[in-house]
Each structure stands twice: as structure tokens, then as C-alpha cells.
Amino acid sequence: MTTTAVADLLVVGAGVAGLTAAVAAADAGLTVTVLFKPSAGGAPSTSTAYAQGGIAVVDPSDPEDSIDRHVADTVGAGGPLVDVVATRSILADGPAAVDRLISWGAAFDRRPDGRLKRTREGGHTVSRIIHAGGDATGAEVQRALTAAAKTRPTLTARPAQAYALLADGDRVVGVRTAEGDAFGRTVLLATGGAGHLFSSTTNPLGATGDGIALAEAAGADVRELEFVQFHPTMLYTPGARGRRPLISEAVRGEGAHLVDANGDAVMDGVHPMGDLAPRDVVARAVTDAMERTAAPCVYLDATMIPDVADRFPTVTEAVRAAGLDPQTDLIPVVPGAHYLCGGVVTDLHGATGVPGLYAAGEVARTGLHGANRLASNSLLEALVMGLRVATAAQAAPALPGGPVREIAPPHARAERDALQDAMTRSCGVRRTVDGLAGLTALLADPAFVADAPAVSSRDREDAVLTAVARRMAGQALARQESVTEVVEVRP
């Protein structure tokens, strides 16, 4: 096993949060090591690259918008669990964070006068979402950050799956991978979410909850995992499992609407914002419509958008691959596991309660998302928090220099397909006390969860998924109320 030199900042994950921290830290003169799970083609496996939605950010010159209004929309979607102080702090730093990203080479769609083009998505009361390539914002952000990282001489990146943390006393000082140990004065977990706890998800294969399990094993506070956001419009394909294409919410922002198998409008009488209601509301309405009609899906009608192929090239490509044309055909959709609103609790600088350990992006819980993330707030949060971690890393002390110990999650694991089916059935859009109680019992059953050493990377991922599933099911069972009712926030 090899050991790398100590970096000033060690980043696990190469999506928007991880690479923003890495590039900003390198620009500040720090040495940076980035470890990432590779996709089949060798590039980092990140949710960022698949993000069709945009970045929710206030235009300071728009008299119709303000940070206070953005905060109110955020709380309206996420309910009373949204930390208003943290939310205002993160959203207020949004415009400067986007400017920083643009200075690193990110190109966003612009109006003829050169100003950033903005649109609406669910839960937003004004048009404040910026996009790139229509519905390819995440791909552009990933491209720009990857390109910027490659030009920083003090930044190195390599594929590796972190399966344990390394600690010196009570301080985290590195990670252990199959390829060797890596050390850093500051260790940042930017590993994304855990969408593959469920049978169908919009997340890439690497989203298996690694950072959550690692941080919890080290003693970090992990909170509100029960709040999984199910995107209401994932492309439906009979019998499909694993990652499925997302049909961006921005399609509804441009006028598309949901209809059930009988052709009736799904959102009529459900919410004042109709098809642009918060995602949890729309996902439940879609589920209700499927149950009411005994149909396996509902449909998104985008035929009224005259330039749908130009406006949404990523969506159009996915729909055409399924043998349909969004300009003339209804698009079959179902809710799919999309985003983890809870996670590793951090302060407003990304620090966990464990010395030396930071978290940013979907793996973290800052208090911004509450019980239901407002559309397109995630990329903004990742940008802002990535920059803040880079600043915090500049003040990190030298490593103690003592002996290190390994901190790894439990190795017991369930078979993945069976785990995903159980989670989808009992911890999905529809949850009951009996269902969750049965799920927690199943996850404690040695006949379902094998207590065997993890040998392969797949074994380790399955063990992580099982550990996160146990925590999520337990927190969901303990949560006895709905907390996404509208809450008024006054400036």
C-alpha cells in the first residue's frame, strides 16, 4: 500500500462542491489532492454532470427579486426545518460565487443584451434560475471546473474509492483507499448523495452514501436523512432499474404540464402554483394520479413549447432514445429518488463536529434545504460552501504527526437489489408507520443483512448503502409529522 504526501486540502469527490474547494484552495497557494470515483469512461462519477436544472441566484439589479424573497421561497419549499440564518448567509453569497465560477470559464446562457438569461422552476415566485446549454447546466459546470483544476499546478486528482478515514487522536487526517493512503491538513467529503438506496434514481452509479457512512463512523452528526427528494418527472421506462434520465423541471417552467393516463391535469386543484408547485407536492400528486388510474406512469405534455428540442437538447435526446419525440408525443414520467436533503451536519464554513473533517454539497446538511430542497438551490450551495471550505483550509494547523488509526463503517451488508426494493417500497414517496417498522426490522435481520468481510469495491458500497439505509429508516420512523407546510418568512 502506498502513501501520498500530505496535502493542505484533501478532497474526496470531484463534483461542483469538491472541485470548487479544490480550485479555490489552489488559487490561494495551497497544495490539493482530489480523489474521485470514476465513471465507466474514467471521468469523475458526479451528480453535477447530470444536473439539467440551473443555479438559483438573485440578480442584484432585478427590482422584482431579492435575497429576502429567495429566502422566503426556500422556506416555503423546505418548511420549518430550514435554518433561516444559514439560508440567508448562503444565498447572499450566491452572486459572488457565480461570478467566481464564470471567471474560471463557465459559460451560461445569455440574453441578446448580454445579461444572464433566467427562468422559473418549481417553488420559485420569480425567474432567477440561470442555465447553460438550455438543460445542460451541470455538464457545463463540471466541464469548467475540471478544466480549471487541470491548469492548477498545485492540484492533483486521481481515481480512488475511499473506504475508511484515518485519524490521529481525535482529528481526521486522511483517507484509506484500495490504492493507498492519502493525507491532508483538512479533509473534505464532497461525495454526493445516496440515490442508489432506491431501485430507480436520477443519480450516477457512484451515489452510494459513502461520505455519510464515513463521517458517521468518525462521530459526526448525521441528521434528517429521512428527507429524500423524489423528483416528480423521471423518464419512465418499463422494467428499468438504476439511473434513469431526468426530465428537467424547467420544461414545466416553459409551459409543459402533467396529465394522467386519462388525459386529466394532475395538478388541478392541488396547489396554487400548479405544475410549478414544490417538488414534494408534485411528486405526491403524481403518485396519487398513478394510484387513481392504476397506471404505471403519468405524462408530461411539452408539445406546446415550439422550440423544445433547441431549448432542452438533453431532455430531447433522452426522450428520443426511448422512441418518442417531445414535440409531438407525451413523455411518460414517474417520481425518482433525486436528492438527499439531510446529511452530515456542518457549520457555515463546512466544518463537521469532528476536528479536521469538512463536508460540502449533497453529502452535507447546512440547514438550507430543510425537508424539501427548493429547485436549483443545490448547485448554488455547493459553490458557496466549496469556496468557504477553501478559505477555512488556509488556517488549518499542521498535522500532529502521531500514529494513525483506521475508522471504517460497519461491513455488514444486504444484497443491493433486495435492499433497493425494500427501501423503495417502504421509504419512498409513500410511507407508513407499519411499513417503516417492518423495514427497520428487516434491516436488523441477519438473514437479510450478511455479516461478512467486505472484499471488493462493490461489497464496500453495499455495506455503506446498508448502513445509510438503517439510519435513514430509523430517522424516518422517528419523524411523526409532516414538516413541509408553508411557513411565512418576513424580511
Side-chain angles (χ1 to χ4, degrees):
M1 179 175 289
T2 60
T3 300
T4 62
V6 176
D8 294 316
L9 175 63
L10 172 61
V11 180
V12 185
V16 56
L19 287 186
T20 296
V23 173
D27 285 351
L30 303 188
T31 56
V32 182
T33 299
V34 177
L35 307 178
F36 61 87
K37 277 188 179 181
S39 63
S45 175
T46 73
S47 292
T48 299
Y50 290 106
Q52 293 178 9
I55 301 176
V57 61
V58 170
D59 178 355
S61 68
D62 182 0
E64 299 297 319
D65 204 6
S66 66
I67 298 301
D68 286 335
R69 188 163 185 172
H70 194 172
V71 171
D73 288 349
T74 299
V75 177
L81 289 181
V82 172
D83 183 326
V84 176
V85 173
T87 295
R88 183 168 280 110
S89 171
I90 292 169
L91 299 184
D93 278 0
V98 169
D99 287 345
R100 186 80 172 272
L101 180 61
I102 292 172
S103 76
W104 288 338
F108 293 96
D109 297 341
R110 293 184 180 270
R111 305 187 328 186
D113 63 4
R115 295 173 61 190
L116 291 170
K117 185 183 295 185
R118 297 172 191 264
T119 189
R120 277 186 66 195
E121 292 180 359
H124 292 270
T125 56
V126 297
S127 295
R128 65 167 67 96
I129 317 299
I130 63 172
H131 288 265
D135 58 359
T137 308
E140 171 58 16
V141 170
Q142 187 74 52
R143 181 208 63 77
L145 287 171
T146 300
K150 289 179 178 179
T151 65
R152 271 54 180 182
T154 62
L155 190 161
T156 59
R158 60 183 173 87
Q161 179 183 347
Y163 64 83
L165 295 175
L166 300 173
D168 184 341
D170 65 349
R171 180 177 170 185
V172 169
V173 296
V175 300
R176 177 152 290 164
T177 79
E179 295 77 15
D181 295 344
F183 293 91
R185 291 194 299 125
T186 296
V187 177
L188 170 62
L189 297 176
T191 53
H196 285 273
L197 280 173
F198 300 90
S199 57
S200 294
T201 177
T202 63
N203 292 182
L205 284 173
T208 53
D210 303 35
I212 295 166
L214 289 169
E216 185 169 38
D221 186 12
V222 173
R223 196 180 306 167
E224 295 161 10
L225 293 185
E226 69 269 31
F227 296 116
V228 178
Q229 184 175 85
F230 290 84
H231 198 290
T233 55
M234 180 180 69
L235 184 65
Y236 170 68
T237 304
R241 191 180 196 95
R243 199 195 84 79
R244 303 301 306 147
L246 173 71
I247 307 300
S248 172
E249 195 161 50
V251 179
R252 281 176 281 137
E254 294 296 314
H257 60 272
L258 290 159
V259 297
D260 65 21
N262 298 326
D264 297 325
V266 169
M267 296 304 297
D268 273 4
V270 174
H271 191 277
M273 297 181 76
D275 286 278
L276 288 176
R279 289 175 175 173
D280 65 321
V281 176
V282 182
R284 285 195 295 269
V286 168
T287 302
D288 288 343
M290 291 162 57
E291 293 174 351
R292 184 172 60 249
T293 61
C297 65
V298 299
Y299 299 89
L300 185 66
D301 184 356
T303 58
M304 75 294 297
I305 303 175
D307 56 347
V308 64
D310 293 332
R311 175 65 180 85
F312 301 106
T314 306
V315 166
T316 299
E317 181 181 3
V319 173
R320 286 177 175 169
L324 300 169
D325 186 338
Q327 196 69 78
T328 57
D329 298 317
L330 299 181
I331 305 169
V333 294
V334 292
H338 184 58
Y339 193 87
L340 187 61
C341 297
V344 182
V345 176
T346 73
D347 65 15
L348 286 176
H349 304 284
T352 72
V354 179
L357 185 64
Y358 286 68
E362 190 174 354
V363 69
R365 184 269 184 199
T366 63
L368 173 65
H369 305 307
N372 178 46
R373 175 176 67 93
L374 181 65
S376 291
N377 267 0
S378 52
L379 290 178
L380 186 76
E381 178 192 43
L383 283 170
V384 170
M385 296 306 296
L387 291 172
R388 291 181 178 183
V389 171
T391 298
Q394 297 174 50
L399 296 187
V404 298
R405 58 189 173 90
E406 177 183 298
I407 304 173
H411 53 70
R413 62 189 185 276
E415 192 276 326
R416 186 177 300 198
D417 285 0
L419 176 66
Q420 291 172 336
D421 289 343
M423 291 294 291
T424 301
R425 182 172 56 251
S426 301
C427 204
V429 176
R430 286 274 180 261
R431 299 176 182 178
T432 66
V433 172
D434 288 346
L436 289 169
L439 177 63
T440 56
L442 181 67
L443 293 172
D445 186 348
F448 186 76
V449 179
D451 190 8
V455 177
S456 66
S457 294
R458 173 83 176 199
D459 289 345
R460 295 187 181 106
E461 283 189 341
D462 288 350
V464 163
L465 283 168
T466 303
V468 177
R470 283 173 161 172
R471 175 63 75 176
M472 181 180 290
Q475 292 185 352
L477 184 59
R479 176 72 63 184
Q480 297 184 8
E481 74 285 349
S482 175
V483 294
T484 55
E485 67 271 15
V486 174
V487 176
E488 182 180 6
V489 176
R490 298 184 183 276

